[in-house]
Amino acid sequence: MWRGVTRIILRYRVLILVVIALLTVFAYTQTKNIKYSYEEAKLLPDDDVTSVNYQKFKKMFGEEATMIVMGTSDSMIYTPEMFKKWDQLSKDISNLKPEDLIEFTTNKKAPRAVLADGEKLIKGVISVSSMKVLEKDKENKKFNMIPLLDSLPTTTEEISAMREKLYSLPFYEKLLYSKESGLITTSIIINPIVLNSETRVDLVKAIKQEIDNFEAETGIDIHISGMPYIRTYNSATIIKEVSNFVYLAMLITAFIFFLFFRSFSATLIAAMVVTIAVVWSFGTIGFFGYNITILTGLIPPLIIVIGFPNVIFLLNKFHQEYALHGNKIKSISRIVTKIGNATLLTNTTTALGFGTFIFTNSDVMKEFGIVASINILGVFLLSILLVPIIYSFRSVPKKRHLKHLDKQWTKWLVDWVLKVTQNNRPTIYAVSIFVLVLSIVGMYQMKISGSIIDDMPKGAEFYKDIKYFENEYEGVMPLEILIDTRKKGGVYKASTLKRIEKMGDFLLEEPGLSKSFSIVNLIKYSKQAFYNNNPKYYQLPTTQERSFILDYAKNSTEGKDGAANLESFVDSTGRYARITLMMQDMGTDQMEVIEVTLQKELDKVFPKEHFDAVLTGGALVFLQGTHYLVKNLLISLGLAILIISLIMAWMFRSPKMILISLIPNLLPLLITAGLMGFFGVPIKVSTILVFSIAFGISVDDTIHFLAKYRQELVANKWNIKVSVLGAIEETGKSMFYTSIVLFFGFLTFTLSSFGGTKALGSLVSLTLLVAMIANLVLLPSLLLSLAKRITNKEDFKEPIVALDDDLNTELDDKLDDELDNDLKDIK
């Protein structure tokens, strides 16, 4: 088969180059469709109970993450001049118009969201200077919302009076101020239409610019938080890293490639092949309309790292063949016919390692699996086409191009492998077993953990602000409790309100949770307002007070965009209520404990025979999503091992060889898992990816080795020892080259500012390094030790698809000469 492929490649080389060029141009045109993700990754399927509850909550109370919060604890803010500027900053942000965003848009022409007439980018701003407080209106039996300040304070005394008045309103504690630290905050509520469009990016940048201008003018340090802000700048960091890692991966892998081959032309050819593959990968993302996420953003540099080893195997074979007989066309022909099928299978197994993510129920993982698997096969296609075609046009290799074949250190490496596999097999097995046992011990110490902000760049300004607000407000991850009273108006019953208050008191005592807010807080505030805002009356009304105070609260319709808004805590029917709070950044293992504790208390406070009380919110969705995804990724890993095992069976048609081939590839995974356990690296989405990726790549060396081993068996009339040693001499150097490229290629990911990407890079690099040693040392040792049991003509049958075109030498030469003449005729 591959000889026919070779003839097609070389006879139609110009046409193939034209087709590749056209496909590359098409891929480049598709890059304009690439979108960048500014939303939290969807980890749970729509029919999952946690997802259903969360969607129900959002439908009832709206999006929970619509606010950007800015705050400062600098005492200078409480001077008349600075407070005036602080007030002006809020007004400037509140009055931002679509035309103000033009300088931040991509096309520099118009904002990317259309607002209806009368709608604003900012739905409202809640600040001390603009806040309104409840005031009793006896005549109309309702509460009116009146400004806290009639005018801005102009003296220090007025500032002090304002603070005293503000601190007398417990409802706003941890919303607009912190009495303990002197923190003052402003909440910016973004219009949902803008929030769910790309214009949010422009708006957030405009808000940030206004804040930066304020800081530059006043010298006051402002902290910013809120999910719209965090996600926007987190995504911006991802976008920046995608381009950086493409260049970095190309630079490092190309440099290592050059060190091996010491040829600028060969390095440029390899770089050209992977560059085209990178364009194809971006084009694929754009063609499918996928977003650039922390995962899909890894695909282009991954293609670079995986693409160079393809070229290494092909080029190494080309130089070996040319050094053997000095015929360029025969050498080109042999790189396809001799290792074409093995290279196809290695790329297929790598693609399958990524492709198994398609079978998860996570959209982000499916997209990653689809794009990665398609482009891994794409880079194989480019390698197997372009390397033979380009070298068919080039002059014959010079002696300096072949020097890498005779490097002393590579000969020493091969000789060392030959020596230890022949003479030190008991030591190899003893070390392997010891490491295996140690790894299993470490595996039992592994934990599933992770948090919403765990993998975010620790040095980023927005991450530092997250930690600042977490310290001030005792939480940043949104958690909600949805209470169904099963009756219209059931929330307003005295017994229900007391239950909500009891739950709020319980939450206040739980470590890791912020102050909670609910209808109870608003009713307490209503009673305080009823008694002329006397702080001592911030409590639930008595039975006698409840009816007329609630009537006042229900009749109050102003201030729907403010914090003291009834509709923020109770639905329009009065059947459903929410308790909203924040959770500190903690691992999913701790979150799980909190979930169990809270749900147990909910069931106690709100008996199931009368209420339906469930936990929901972004924090819980993340917790359940992480567990769900880890479970799915473990299944996908098992599926990858199964499918790749079936491919090995399809290759060799020997059950014993499947087992032998899996051992050197599963052992590195176990070692990595053990080290994760010992060093406290938790299982989470970013680290569980390591195993499927590493297994799919590491098995490549096994396939190349066993493919050559089989060739040697046939050539050496089933002399096992000679065949094993011959396979080591033939493939050992290429296995080492490719493994080193992969090691340093993945190691570049450790330079990422994202914790997940760092973990992925370091763990995959480590796993592949161990896999190289296992394939170079353990695999040959097993073949030699178990030779008579696993390698015989009966068990080691002819493969369904030949791994090479093992024609006789005379016919081989004749066909290569014909191909050489064909090319001369074409010229």
Side-chain angles (χ1 to χ4, degrees):
M1 179 187 82
W2 288 100
R3 180 161 296 283
V5 170
T6 307
R7 295 180 71 86
I8 292 171
I9 290 173
L10 294 181
R11 279 194 62 86
Y12 300 101
R13 53 189 176 169
V14 175
L15 176 61
I16 290 172
L17 289 176
V18 171
V19 171
I20 289 174
L22 291 174
L23 286 173
T24 305
V25 171
F26 174 74
Y28 182 77
T29 63
Q30 295 303 299
T31 58
K32 69 178 185 295
N33 300 321
I34 292 178
K35 301 175 183 177
Y36 297 97
S37 174
Y38 297 99
E39 301 295 334
E40 189 176 343
K42 184 181 177 183
L43 302 181
L44 287 171
D46 292 334
D47 58 354
D48 183 87
V49 64
T50 302
S51 182
V52 170
N53 287 336
Y54 187 51
Q55 293 306 317
K56 179 181 178 181
F57 167 83
K58 290 203 295 184
K59 186 177 180 180
M60 200 170 296
F61 293 106
E63 187 71 44
E64 62 178 339
T66 62
M67 291 195 302
I68 291 177
V69 180
M70 60 180 185
T72 181
S73 53
D74 192 323
S75 59
M76 285 295 293
I77 201 72
Y78 291 106
T79 60
E81 181 185 358
M82 293 301 176
F83 191 81
K84 182 179 179 180
K85 291 181 179 180
W86 176 252
D87 172 66
Q88 188 60 47
L89 172 62
S90 299
K91 290 177 180 177
D92 291 342
I93 292 174
S94 179
N95 294 326
L96 283 171
K97 298 178 178 61
E99 52 266 30
D100 297 326
L101 309 185
I102 292 177
E103 65 176 295
F104 300 103
T105 58
T106 303
N107 56 24
K108 300 294 181 183
K109 293 180 181 179
R112 290 172 287 183
V114 178
L115 297 174
D117 291 341
E119 284 192 310
K120 297 180 66 177
L121 294 168
I122 305 298
K123 192 176 179 182
V125 173
I126 308 171
S127 66
V128 172
S129 56
S130 66
M131 70 176 283
K132 295 182 179 181
V133 296
L134 293 177
E135 183 184 69
K136 184 172 65 173
D137 182 347
K138 289 184 179 180
E139 183 178 347
N140 297 304
K141 291 187 177 180
K142 69 174 185 177
F143 292 118
N144 291 323
M145 301 294 291
I146 65 167
L148 174 71
L149 302 175
D150 295 326
S151 60
L152 292 179
T154 57
T155 65
T156 304
E157 290 73 19
E158 289 179 355
I159 288 279
S160 297
M162 178 200 71
R163 292 182 73 176
E164 185 177 348
K165 189 174 182 180
L166 180 64
Y167 290 168
S168 72
L169 301 172
F171 178 81
Y172 289 101
E173 174 91 35
K174 302 296 184 181
L175 272 177
L176 288 177
Y177 73 89
S178 173
K179 190 174 182 179
E180 183 180 352
S181 66
L183 173 70
I184 183 173
T185 63
T186 294
S187 297
I188 304 158
I189 306 172
I190 297 178
N191 189 321
I193 297 175
V194 177
L195 188 69
N196 296 319
S197 73
E198 291 186 22
T199 302
R200 180 181 67 183
V201 181
D202 308 328
L203 178 58
V204 170
K205 289 179 180 178
I207 292 171
K208 182 65 167 63
Q209 184 62 57
E210 294 287 348
I211 295 171
D212 289 344
N213 293 341
F214 174 86
E215 289 181 318
E217 182 182 356
T218 64
I220 294 176
D221 187 22
I222 304 298
H223 300 277
I224 316 170
S225 191
M227 295 314 293
Y229 173 77
I230 293 169
R231 289 172 183 165
T232 297
Y233 277 89
N234 194 49
S235 298
T237 307
I238 292 173
I239 294 166
K240 182 180 178 181
E241 286 208 347
V242 169
S243 57
N244 287 346
F245 273 109
V246 167
Y247 295 125
L248 191 61
M250 180 68 76
L251 179 65
I252 291 177
T253 50
F255 177 70
I256 296 171
F257 185 96
F258 174 77
L259 290 180
F260 288 151
F261 289 95
R262 296 301 176 116
S263 169
F264 284 109
S265 60
T267 305
L268 288 174
I269 290 168
M272 182 189 70
V273 172
V274 296
T275 299
I276 294 172
V278 167
V279 174
W280 284 19
S281 66
F282 277 117
T284 306
I285 295 171
F287 179 78
F288 286 113
Y290 293 157
N291 291 333
I292 291 288
T293 65
I294 189 66
L295 286 179
T296 52
L298 290 176
I299 293 175
L302 276 174
I303 292 301
I304 293 173
V305 173
I306 294 170
F308 269 99
N310 279 344
V311 181
I312 286 175
F313 267 107
L314 295 171
L315 189 56
N316 218 34
K317 183 63 178 176
F318 172 65
H319 286 165
Q320 286 175 350
E321 287 289 332
Y322 187 80
L324 189 63
H325 48 67
N327 187 314
K328 186 183 78 170
I329 295 302
K330 182 185 292 187
S331 301
I332 292 172
S333 174
R334 299 293 171 82
I335 67 174
V336 180
T337 58
K338 295 295 183 184
I339 62 172
N341 221 0
T343 307
L344 172 60
L345 287 170
T346 58
N347 282 268
T348 300
T349 55
T350 303
L352 284 170
F354 288 86
T356 52
F357 299 140
I358 298 170
F359 298 101
T360 65
N361 286 321
S362 166
D363 291 342
V364 68
M365 296 305 301
K366 284 182 179 178
E367 292 174 5
F368 177 68
I370 290 170
V371 177
S373 54
I374 288 174
N375 284 281
I376 287 167
L377 294 176
V379 77
F380 159 75
L381 187 64
L382 287 170
S383 301
I384 205 71
L385 292 175
L386 289 178
V387 172
I389 289 174
I390 291 172
Y391 278 93
S392 71
F393 284 110
R394 288 175 57 82
S395 58
V396 299
K398 297 180 171 59
K399 286 185 178 181
R400 58 185 175 85
H401 295 144
L402 307 178
K403 281 185 177 180
H404 69 94
L405 297 174
D406 299 318
K407 286 181 179 177
Q408 292 302 313
W409 68 268
T410 58
K411 285 186 175 181
W412 175 88
L413 174 68
V414 173
D415 290 342
W416 179 83
V417 171
L418 291 170
K419 180 181 178 181
V420 296
T421 52
Q422 291 182 84
N423 305 324
N424 301 101
R425 290 199 293 275
T427 304
I428 292 171
Y429 300 144
V431 171
S432 299
I433 292 171
F434 173 76
V435 172
L436 175 62
V437 172
L438 203 61
S439 299
I440 293 173
V441 172
M443 284 175 60
Y444 279 98
Q445 300 180 40
M446 294 177 72
K447 295 180 180 179
I448 297 177
S449 188
S451 75
I452 293 177
I453 66 173
D454 185 44
D455 287 336
M456 290 182 181
K458 302 297 186 291
E461 182 182 357
F462 71 84
Y463 182 84
K464 295 175 183 177
D465 284 344
I466 291 172
K467 303 305 289 185
Y468 173 84
F469 277 103
E470 180 183 62
N471 181 60
E472 289 289 344
Y473 285 166
E474 301 176 64
V476 289
M477 298 161 63
L479 187 64
E480 302 282 349
I481 296 174
L482 182 62
I483 302 163
D484 180 4
T485 65
R486 301 179 186 170
K487 293 179 182 178
K488 185 177 180 179
V491 171
Y492 301 111
K493 291 177 63 177
S495 59
T496 303
L497 293 174
K498 287 181 180 179
R499 291 178 188 275
I500 295 174
E501 182 183 37
K502 184 178 180 181
M503 192 66 204
D505 292 339
F506 175 83
L507 294 171
L508 198 60
E509 298 300 320
E510 281 296 297
L513 300 178
S514 72
K515 172 186 175 183
S516 65
F517 290 89
S518 68
I519 179 64
V520 166
N521 300 78
L522 185 54
I523 290 176
K524 286 181 177 180
Y525 181 27
S526 299
K527 179 175 178 177
Q528 180 185 354
F530 188 82
Y531 288 101
N532 301 315
N533 279 315
N534 189 331
K536 75 176 185 178
Y537 288 103
Y538 185 75
Q539 55 188 245
L540 278 178
T542 63
T543 304
Q544 292 80 10
E545 297 168 327
R546 190 176 63 85
S547 59
F548 55 84
I549 288 179
L550 281 179
D551 286 340
Y552 268 72
K554 290 177 183 177
N555 292 333
S556 303
T557 57
E558 297 181 34
K560 287 187 177 181
D561 295 337
N565 173 22
L566 188 65
E567 293 180 7
S568 298
F569 304 107
V570 183
D571 80 312
S572 58
T573 67
R575 172 177 170 174
Y576 295 93
R578 74 188 281 198
I579 302 175
T580 182
L581 65 155
M582 295 287 182
M583 179 185 289
Q584 287 185 357
D585 175 37
M586 59 183 69
T588 52
D589 49 348
Q590 296 171 277
M591 290 171 64
E592 194 169 6
V593 172
I594 289 179
E595 180 196 8
V596 172
T597 302
L598 295 190
Q599 192 61 58
K600 184 178 179 180
E601 186 66 18
L602 278 175
D603 294 340
K604 179 180 174 182
V605 176
F606 300 96
K608 290 186 177 181
E609 56 267 25
H610 301 297
F611 299 91
D612 293 316
V614 296
L615 284 169
T616 185
L620 186 70
V621 170
F622 175 81
L623 168 65
Q624 297 299 338
T626 299
H627 282 292
Y628 180 84
L629 195 53
V630 167
K631 177 184 174 182
N632 274 261
L633 289 173
L634 286 171
I635 293 172
S636 73
L637 173 60
L639 186 61
I641 293 172
L642 175 63
I643 292 174
I644 291 172
S645 298
L646 292 175
I647 289 178
M648 303 292 278
W650 177 62
M651 284 174 55
F652 299 106
R653 301 184 68 191
S654 169
K656 296 174 184 177
M657 287 301 297
I658 298 173
L659 180 61
I660 294 301
S661 63
L662 286 178
I663 290 174
N665 292 291
L666 291 179
L667 181 61
L669 302 186
L670 295 174
I671 292 172
T672 299
L675 289 172
M676 287 173 63
F678 283 125
F679 288 98
V681 179
I683 296 177
K684 52 186 176 179
V685 176
S686 53
T687 55
I688 198 69
L689 286 172
V690 169
F691 299 100
S692 293
I693 293 173
F695 183 78
I697 296 175
S698 67
V699 79
D700 292 356
D701 283 344
T702 306
I703 291 175
H704 276 293
F705 183 86
L706 292 180
K708 185 59 186 175
Y709 173 57
R710 194 183 189 289
Q711 290 178 19
E712 293 292 327
L713 281 174
V714 175
N716 294 293
K717 299 180 180 180
W718 295 85
N719 186 318
I720 294 166
K721 182 176 181 179
V722 174
S723 299
V724 169
L725 300 181
I728 293 173
E729 289 181 335
E730 176 78 16
T731 62
K733 190 181 301 181
S734 292
M735 288 166 64
F736 178 76
Y737 282 2
T738 56
S739 295
I740 294 300
V741 168
L742 288 166
F743 174 80
F744 284 103
F746 277 101
L747 206 60
T748 59
F749 295 152
T750 61
L751 300 176
S752 171
S753 56
F754 289 89
T757 308
K758 284 183 178 179
L760 180 71
S762 58
L763 292 173
V764 171
S765 295
L766 172 67
T767 308
L768 293 179
L769 187 63
V770 176
M772 177 194 73
I773 297 170
N775 278 299
L776 278 174
V777 177
L778 182 58
L779 178 59
S781 298
L782 289 170
L783 290 173
L784 288 170
S785 295
L786 304 175
K788 293 182 181 179
R789 296 184 181 182
I790 65 170
T791 308
N792 55 67
K793 293 184 180 181
E794 288 72 29
D795 290 334
F796 209 91
K797 299 175 183 178
E798 188 70 22
I800 295 174
V801 176
L803 292 170
D804 59 85
D805 291 343
D806 276 325
L807 305 175
N808 64 68
T809 305
E810 186 177 335
L811 181 57
D812 241 6
D813 292 342
K814 181 180 178 182
L815 292 173
D816 286 331
D817 289 340
E818 289 178 3
L819 183 59
D820 199 0
N821 290 330
D822 286 345
L823 292 177
K824 289 177 181 177
D825 292 340
I826 294 170
K827 292 177 184 178

